[in-house]
Every structure is written in structure tokens, then in C-alpha cells.
mmCIF file of all heavy atoms in Angstrom:
data_model
loop_
_atom_site.group_PDB
_atom_site.id
_atom_site.type_symbol
_atom_site.label_atom_id
_atom_site.label_comp_id
_atom_site.label_asym_id
_atom_site.label_seq_id
_atom_site.Cartn_x
_atom_site.Cartn_y
_atom_site.Cartn_z
ATOM 1 N N LEU U 1 -6.975 -90.581 -205.268
ATOM 2 C CA LEU U 1 -7.099 -90.994 -206.665
ATOM 3 C C LEU U 1 -5.849 -91.717 -207.158
ATOM 4 O O LEU U 1 -5.937 -92.737 -207.833
ATOM 5 C CB LEU U 1 -7.344 -89.777 -207.563
ATOM 6 C CG LEU U 1 -8.740 -89.204 -207.572
ATOM 7 C CD1 LEU U 1 -8.743 -87.851 -208.265
ATOM 8 C CD2 LEU U 1 -9.699 -90.147 -208.260
ATOM 9 N N THR U 2 -4.698 -91.173 -206.832
ATOM 10 C CA THR U 2 -3.463 -91.735 -207.375
ATOM 11 C C THR U 2 -2.993 -92.977 -206.642
ATOM 12 O O THR U 2 -2.270 -93.783 -207.218
ATOM 13 C CB THR U 2 -2.332 -90.689 -207.375
ATOM 14 O OG1 THR U 2 -2.140 -90.207 -206.048
ATOM 15 C CG2 THR U 2 -2.666 -89.537 -208.300
ATOM 16 N N THR U 3 -3.405 -93.145 -205.386
ATOM 17 C CA THR U 3 -2.969 -94.322 -204.624
ATOM 18 C C THR U 3 -4.070 -95.360 -204.486
ATOM 19 O O THR U 3 -3.870 -96.390 -203.840
ATOM 20 C CB THR U 3 -2.484 -93.917 -203.217
ATOM 21 O OG1 THR U 3 -3.559 -93.293 -202.506
ATOM 22 C CG2 THR U 3 -1.285 -92.986 -203.294
ATOM 23 N N LEU U 4 -5.229 -95.092 -205.094
ATOM 24 C CA LEU U 4 -6.386 -95.986 -205.011
ATOM 25 C C LEU U 4 -6.715 -96.346 -203.564
ATOM 26 O O LEU U 4 -6.893 -97.502 -203.210
ATOM 27 C CB LEU U 4 -6.154 -97.259 -205.841
ATOM 28 C CG LEU U 4 -6.051 -97.062 -207.348
ATOM 29 C CD1 LEU U 4 -5.771 -98.385 -208.042
ATOM 30 C CD2 LEU U 4 -7.320 -96.436 -207.904
ATOM 31 N N SER U 5 -6.795 -95.327 -202.719
ATOM 32 C CA SER U 5 -7.124 -95.555 -201.306
ATOM 33 C C SER U 5 -8.532 -95.054 -200.998
ATOM 34 O O SER U 5 -8.736 -94.133 -200.218
ATOM 35 C CB SER U 5 -6.089 -94.905 -200.397
ATOM 36 O OG SER U 5 -5.484 -93.785 -200.957
ATOM 37 N N GLY U 6 -9.506 -95.690 -201.636
ATOM 38 C CA GLY U 6 -10.901 -95.322 -201.466
ATOM 39 C C GLY U 6 -11.456 -95.606 -200.088
ATOM 40 O O GLY U 6 -12.506 -95.082 -199.734
ATOM 41 N N THR U 7 -10.754 -96.396 -199.305
ATOM 42 C CA THR U 7 -11.212 -96.654 -197.941
ATOM 43 C C THR U 7 -11.167 -95.388 -197.095
ATOM 44 O O THR U 7 -11.845 -95.307 -196.072
ATOM 45 C CB THR U 7 -10.364 -97.751 -197.269
ATOM 46 O OG1 THR U 7 -8.984 -97.365 -197.320
ATOM 47 C CG2 THR U 7 -10.541 -99.087 -197.966
ATOM 48 N N ARG U 8 -10.400 -94.401 -197.542
ATOM 49 C CA ARG U 8 -10.312 -93.118 -196.825
ATOM 50 C C ARG U 8 -11.429 -92.163 -197.221
ATOM 51 O O ARG U 8 -11.547 -91.076 -196.660
ATOM 52 C CB ARG U 8 -8.960 -92.462 -197.097
ATOM 53 C CG ARG U 8 -7.808 -93.244 -196.515
ATOM 54 C CD ARG U 8 -6.445 -92.680 -196.808
ATOM 55 N NE ARG U 8 -6.434 -91.250 -197.065
ATOM 56 C CZ ARG U 8 -5.586 -90.658 -197.907
ATOM 57 N NH1 ARG U 8 -4.702 -91.360 -198.557
ATOM 58 N NH2 ARG U 8 -5.626 -89.354 -198.081
ATOM 59 N N LEU U 9 -12.253 -92.543 -198.173
ATOM 60 C CA LEU U 9 -13.298 -91.655 -198.678
ATOM 61 C C LEU U 9 -14.280 -91.186 -197.607
ATOM 62 O O LEU U 9 -14.575 -89.987 -197.549
ATOM 63 C CB LEU U 9 -14.047 -92.304 -199.847
ATOM 64 C CG LEU U 9 -15.089 -91.428 -200.542
ATOM 65 C CD1 LEU U 9 -14.442 -90.186 -201.137
ATOM 66 C CD2 LEU U 9 -15.802 -92.224 -201.616
ATOM 67 N N PRO U 10 -14.809 -92.052 -196.736
ATOM 68 C CA PRO U 10 -15.750 -91.554 -195.718
ATOM 69 C C PRO U 10 -15.144 -90.460 -194.833
ATOM 70 O O PRO U 10 -15.810 -89.459 -194.540
ATOM 71 C CB PRO U 10 -16.100 -92.796 -194.899
ATOM 72 C CG PRO U 10 -15.877 -93.932 -195.841
ATOM 73 C CD PRO U 10 -14.702 -93.511 -196.691
ATOM 74 N N LYS U 11 -13.891 -90.632 -194.438
ATOM 75 C CA LYS U 11 -13.233 -89.613 -193.617
ATOM 76 C C LYS U 11 -13.076 -88.318 -194.414
ATOM 77 O O LYS U 11 -13.312 -87.224 -193.889
ATOM 78 C CB LYS U 11 -11.865 -90.110 -193.148
ATOM 79 C CG LYS U 11 -11.141 -89.117 -192.277
ATOM 80 C CD LYS U 11 -9.782 -89.638 -191.862
ATOM 81 C CE LYS U 11 -9.088 -88.551 -191.051
ATOM 82 N NZ LYS U 11 -7.673 -88.662 -191.024
ATOM 83 N N TRP U 12 -12.702 -88.433 -195.693
ATOM 84 C CA TRP U 12 -12.548 -87.247 -196.540
ATOM 85 C C TRP U 12 -13.881 -86.529 -196.687
ATOM 86 O O TRP U 12 -13.936 -85.299 -196.616
ATOM 87 C CB TRP U 12 -11.992 -87.637 -197.909
ATOM 88 C CG TRP U 12 -11.678 -86.445 -198.753
ATOM 89 C CD1 TRP U 12 -10.493 -85.765 -198.805
ATOM 90 C CD2 TRP U 12 -12.569 -85.746 -199.635
ATOM 91 N NE1 TRP U 12 -10.592 -84.701 -199.669
ATOM 92 C CE2 TRP U 12 -11.859 -84.656 -200.193
ATOM 93 C CE3 TRP U 12 -13.889 -85.929 -200.001
ATOM 94 C CZ2 TRP U 12 -12.427 -83.771 -201.093
ATOM 95 C CZ3 TRP U 12 -14.466 -85.040 -200.907
ATOM 96 C CH2 TRP U 12 -13.733 -83.977 -201.439
ATOM 97 N N ILE U 13 -14.954 -87.272 -196.885
ATOM 98 C CA ILE U 13 -16.283 -86.671 -197.023
ATOM 99 C C ILE U 13 -16.657 -85.910 -195.749
ATOM 100 O O ILE U 13 -17.181 -84.798 -195.807
ATOM 101 C CB ILE U 13 -17.342 -87.735 -197.378
ATOM 102 C CG1 ILE U 13 -17.156 -88.179 -198.833
ATOM 103 C CG2 ILE U 13 -18.751 -87.215 -197.142
ATOM 104 C CD1 ILE U 13 -18.067 -89.309 -199.263
ATOM 105 N N THR U 14 -16.370 -86.497 -194.593
ATOM 106 C CA THR U 14 -16.650 -85.827 -193.317
ATOM 107 C C THR U 14 -15.874 -84.527 -193.212
ATOM 108 O O THR U 14 -16.426 -83.477 -192.854
ATOM 109 C CB THR U 14 -16.300 -86.757 -192.135
ATOM 110 O OG1 THR U 14 -17.075 -87.947 -192.243
ATOM 111 C CG2 THR U 14 -16.567 -86.081 -190.808
ATOM 112 N N GLU U 15 -14.585 -84.566 -193.539
ATOM 113 C CA GLU U 15 -13.757 -83.363 -193.485
ATOM 114 C C GLU U 15 -14.259 -82.302 -194.469
ATOM 115 O O GLU U 15 -14.309 -81.117 -194.139
ATOM 116 C CB GLU U 15 -12.301 -83.704 -193.787
ATOM 117 C CG GLU U 15 -11.632 -84.530 -192.714
ATOM 118 C CD GLU U 15 -10.260 -85.057 -193.129
ATOM 119 O OE1 GLU U 15 -9.831 -84.807 -194.272
ATOM 120 O OE2 GLU U 15 -9.629 -85.726 -192.302
ATOM 121 N N ALA U 16 -14.636 -82.728 -195.653
ATOM 122 C CA ALA U 16 -15.124 -81.796 -196.673
ATOM 123 C C ALA U 16 -16.451 -81.170 -196.248
ATOM 124 O O ALA U 16 -16.674 -79.973 -196.453
ATOM 125 C CB ALA U 16 -15.279 -82.512 -198.010
ATOM 126 N N THR U 17 -17.309 -81.954 -195.640
ATOM 127 C CA THR U 17 -18.590 -81.435 -195.164
ATOM 128 C C THR U 17 -18.373 -80.418 -194.044
ATOM 129 O O THR U 17 -18.999 -79.356 -194.018
ATOM 130 C CB THR U 17 -19.489 -82.587 -194.678
ATOM 131 O OG1 THR U 17 -19.671 -83.511 -195.752
ATOM 132 C CG2 THR U 17 -20.832 -82.082 -194.208
ATOM 133 N N GLU U 18 -17.474 -80.739 -193.126
ATOM 134 C CA GLU U 18 -17.191 -79.840 -192.002
ATOM 135 C C GLU U 18 -16.530 -78.537 -192.460
ATOM 136 O O GLU U 18 -16.692 -77.504 -191.815
ATOM 137 C CB GLU U 18 -16.313 -80.542 -190.971
ATOM 138 C CG GLU U 18 -17.049 -81.632 -190.213
ATOM 139 C CD GLU U 18 -16.139 -82.478 -189.336
ATOM 140 O OE1 GLU U 18 -14.903 -82.263 -189.349
ATOM 141 O OE2 GLU U 18 -16.669 -83.359 -188.641
ATOM 142 N N ALA U 19 -15.809 -78.582 -193.569
ATOM 143 C CA ALA U 19 -15.162 -77.372 -194.090
ATOM 144 C C ALA U 19 -16.191 -76.357 -194.569
ATOM 145 O O ALA U 19 -15.937 -75.156 -194.575
ATOM 146 C CB ALA U 19 -14.198 -77.720 -195.209
ATOM 147 N N ASN U 20 -17.359 -76.846 -194.990
ATOM 148 C CA ASN U 20 -18.462 -75.984 -195.413
ATOM 149 C C ASN U 20 -18.054 -74.997 -196.509
ATOM 150 O O ASN U 20 -18.363 -73.810 -196.450
ATOM 151 C CB ASN U 20 -19.049 -75.250 -194.201
ATOM 152 C CG ASN U 20 -20.448 -74.738 -194.482
ATOM 153 O OD1 ASN U 20 -21.164 -75.308 -195.281
ATOM 154 N ND2 ASN U 20 -20.822 -73.666 -193.823
ATOM 155 N N LEU U 21 -17.359 -75.503 -197.509
ATOM 156 C CA LEU U 21 -16.961 -74.701 -198.662
ATOM 157 C C LEU U 21 -17.947 -74.982 -199.798
ATOM 158 O O LEU U 21 -18.167 -76.142 -200.147
ATOM 159 C CB LEU U 21 -15.535 -75.046 -199.084
ATOM 160 C CG LEU U 21 -14.466 -74.800 -198.023
ATOM 161 C CD1 LEU U 21 -13.148 -75.416 -198.441
ATOM 162 C CD2 LEU U 21 -14.317 -73.316 -197.763
ATOM 163 N N PRO U 22 -18.559 -73.951 -200.384
ATOM 164 C CA PRO U 22 -19.644 -74.155 -201.350
ATOM 165 C C PRO U 22 -19.341 -75.137 -202.487
ATOM 166 O O PRO U 22 -20.101 -76.063 -202.716
ATOM 167 C CB PRO U 22 -19.907 -72.749 -201.901
ATOM 168 C CG PRO U 22 -19.429 -71.836 -200.836
ATOM 169 C CD PRO U 22 -18.277 -72.535 -200.176
ATOM 170 N N GLY U 23 -18.266 -74.970 -203.202
ATOM 171 C CA GLY U 23 -17.965 -75.852 -204.327
ATOM 172 C C GLY U 23 -17.698 -77.281 -203.898
ATOM 173 O O GLY U 23 -18.146 -78.236 -204.535
ATOM 174 N N ILE U 24 -16.986 -77.410 -202.808
ATOM 175 C CA ILE U 24 -16.656 -78.751 -202.321
ATOM 176 C C ILE U 24 -17.892 -79.414 -201.715
ATOM 177 O O ILE U 24 -18.112 -80.617 -201.888
ATOM 178 C CB ILE U 24 -15.470 -78.696 -201.347
ATOM 179 C CG1 ILE U 24 -14.218 -78.289 -202.134
ATOM 180 C CG2 ILE U 24 -15.274 -80.027 -200.634
ATOM 181 C CD1 ILE U 24 -12.962 -78.120 -201.331
ATOM 182 N N SER U 25 -18.737 -78.645 -201.048
ATOM 183 C CA SER U 25 -19.965 -79.199 -200.466
ATOM 184 C C SER U 25 -20.875 -79.775 -201.542
ATOM 185 O O SER U 25 -21.447 -80.856 -201.359
ATOM 186 C CB SER U 25 -20.711 -78.129 -199.670
ATOM 187 O OG SER U 25 -19.965 -77.729 -198.564
ATOM 188 N N SER U 26 -21.012 -79.080 -202.666
ATOM 189 C CA SER U 26 -21.861 -79.603 -203.741
ATOM 190 C C SER U 26 -21.227 -80.854 -204.364
ATOM 191 O O SER U 26 -21.930 -81.776 -204.772
ATOM 192 C CB SER U 26 -22.130 -78.541 -204.798
ATOM 193 O OG SER U 26 -20.937 -78.131 -205.416
ATOM 194 N N PHE U 27 -19.901 -80.901 -204.423
ATOM 195 C CA PHE U 27 -19.203 -82.088 -204.916
ATOM 196 C C PHE U 27 -19.474 -83.281 -204.000
ATOM 197 O O PHE U 27 -19.709 -84.398 -204.466
ATOM 198 C CB PHE U 27 -17.705 -81.794 -205.003
ATOM 199 C CG PHE U 27 -16.864 -82.949 -205.456
ATOM 200 C CD1 PHE U 27 -16.960 -83.432 -206.749
ATOM 201 C CD2 PHE U 27 -15.970 -83.554 -204.591
ATOM 202 C CE1 PHE U 27 -16.175 -84.496 -207.180
ATOM 203 C CE2 PHE U 27 -15.178 -84.618 -205.008
ATOM 204 C CZ PHE U 27 -15.292 -85.086 -206.307
ATOM 205 N N VAL U 28 -19.476 -83.043 -202.694
ATOM 206 C CA VAL U 28 -19.732 -84.102 -201.713
ATOM 207 C C VAL U 28 -21.142 -84.664 -201.871
ATOM 208 O O VAL U 28 -21.347 -85.873 -201.743
ATOM 209 C CB VAL U 28 -19.499 -83.581 -200.277
ATOM 210 C CG1 VAL U 28 -20.036 -84.537 -199.233
ATOM 211 C CG2 VAL U 28 -18.018 -83.339 -200.049
ATOM 212 N N VAL U 29 -22.115 -83.810 -202.183
ATOM 213 C CA VAL U 29 -23.480 -84.278 -202.405
ATOM 214 C C VAL U 29 -23.494 -85.291 -203.552
ATOM 215 O O VAL U 29 -24.132 -86.343 -203.460
ATOM 216 C CB VAL U 29 -24.433 -83.093 -202.701
ATOM 217 C CG1 VAL U 29 -25.793 -83.577 -203.188
ATOM 218 C CG2 VAL U 29 -24.588 -82.230 -201.463
ATOM 219 N N GLY U 30 -22.764 -84.994 -204.618
ATOM 220 C CA GLY U 30 -22.665 -85.936 -205.731
ATOM 221 C C GLY U 30 -21.986 -87.236 -205.343
ATOM 222 O O GLY U 30 -22.380 -88.310 -205.794
ATOM 223 N N LEU U 31 -20.967 -87.148 -204.488
ATOM 224 C CA LEU U 31 -20.289 -88.360 -204.019
ATOM 225 C C LEU U 31 -21.244 -89.243 -203.225
ATOM 226 O O LEU U 31 -21.230 -90.465 -203.360
ATOM 227 C CB LEU U 31 -19.075 -88.012 -203.153
ATOM 228 C CG LEU U 31 -17.880 -87.384 -203.844
ATOM 229 C CD1 LEU U 31 -16.790 -87.080 -202.825
ATOM 230 C CD2 LEU U 31 -17.343 -88.291 -204.933
ATOM 231 N N HIS U 32 -22.074 -88.614 -202.398
ATOM 232 C CA HIS U 32 -23.042 -89.376 -201.599
ATOM 233 C C HIS U 32 -24.016 -90.126 -202.497
ATOM 234 O O HIS U 32 -24.375 -91.271 -202.198
ATOM 235 C CB HIS U 32 -23.827 -88.457 -200.662
ATOM 236 C CG HIS U 32 -23.145 -88.198 -199.368
ATOM 237 N ND1 HIS U 32 -22.888 -89.183 -198.448
ATOM 238 C CD2 HIS U 32 -22.666 -87.057 -198.832
ATOM 239 C CE1 HIS U 32 -22.286 -88.662 -197.402
ATOM 240 N NE2 HIS U 32 -22.122 -87.367 -197.612
ATOM 241 N N SER U 33 -24.435 -89.500 -203.577
ATOM 242 C CA SER U 33 -25.435 -90.138 -204.437
ATOM 243 C C SER U 33 -24.882 -91.361 -205.163
ATOM 244 O O SER U 33 -25.644 -92.255 -205.527
ATOM 245 C CB SER U 33 -26.014 -89.137 -205.431
ATOM 246 O OG SER U 33 -25.025 -88.725 -206.345
ATOM 247 N N ASP U 34 -23.579 -91.408 -205.380
ATOM 248 C CA ASP U 34 -22.953 -92.552 -206.051
ATOM 249 C C ASP U 34 -21.826 -93.142 -205.203
ATOM 250 O O ASP U 34 -20.799 -93.569 -205.722
ATOM 251 C CB ASP U 34 -22.381 -92.126 -207.405
ATOM 252 C CG ASP U 34 -23.451 -91.873 -208.437
ATOM 253 O OD1 ASP U 34 -24.486 -92.553 -208.383
ATOM 254 O OD2 ASP U 34 -23.239 -91.008 -209.304
ATOM 255 N N PHE U 35 -22.026 -93.197 -203.905
ATOM 256 C CA PHE U 35 -20.960 -93.574 -202.982
ATOM 257 C C PHE U 35 -20.313 -94.925 -203.321
ATOM 258 O O PHE U 35 -19.090 -95.040 -203.368
ATOM 259 C CB PHE U 35 -21.473 -93.585 -201.536
ATOM 260 C CG PHE U 35 -20.401 -93.872 -200.534
ATOM 261 C CD1 PHE U 35 -19.517 -92.881 -200.158
ATOM 262 C CD2 PHE U 35 -20.265 -95.139 -199.987
ATOM 263 C CE1 PHE U 35 -18.503 -93.134 -199.248
ATOM 264 C CE2 PHE U 35 -19.259 -95.410 -199.081
ATOM 265 C CZ PHE U 35 -18.386 -94.404 -198.704
ATOM 266 N N ASP U 36 -21.122 -95.944 -203.565
ATOM 267 C CA ASP U 36 -20.571 -97.273 -203.847
ATOM 268 C C ASP U 36 -19.732 -97.288 -205.122
ATOM 269 O O ASP U 36 -18.665 -97.907 -205.170
ATOM 270 C CB ASP U 36 -21.687 -98.319 -203.958
ATOM 271 C CG ASP U 36 -22.383 -98.566 -202.625
ATOM 272 O OD1 ASP U 36 -21.750 -98.314 -201.572
ATOM 273 O OD2 ASP U 36 -23.546 -98.994 -202.631
#
């Protein structure tokens, strides 16, 4: 967010999904719906 490095978002989403943490997993679902 602070460095405007959105190109790292797909990797972050993968890491967040693999972590399988409930709150973060639901956040990732929202990111997928508005990815662009």
C-alpha cells in the first residue's frame, strides 16, 4: 500500500491463501472479485 507495488499482489494473494487464516482468506476472496 505504501510503496504502490501492486505488481506483488498475485504473489501476496497466493501466500495469503496458503496461510489458510480465516479472516485473511475471506479478505482474499474480496480481492479476487475486484482484482483489476
Side-chain angles (χ1 to χ4, degrees):
L1 283 168
T2 57
T3 61
L4 294 178
S5 29
T7 56
R8 294 177 26 213
L9 185 61
K11 181 181 177 203
W12 186 90
I13 287 175
T14 301
E15 292 170 358
T17 302
E18 289 171 357
N20 200 28
L21 300 169
I24 292 177
S25 295
S26 62
F27 178 68
V28 168
V29 169
L31 290 179
H32 274 296
S33 66
D34 287 327
F35 184 78
D36 292 336

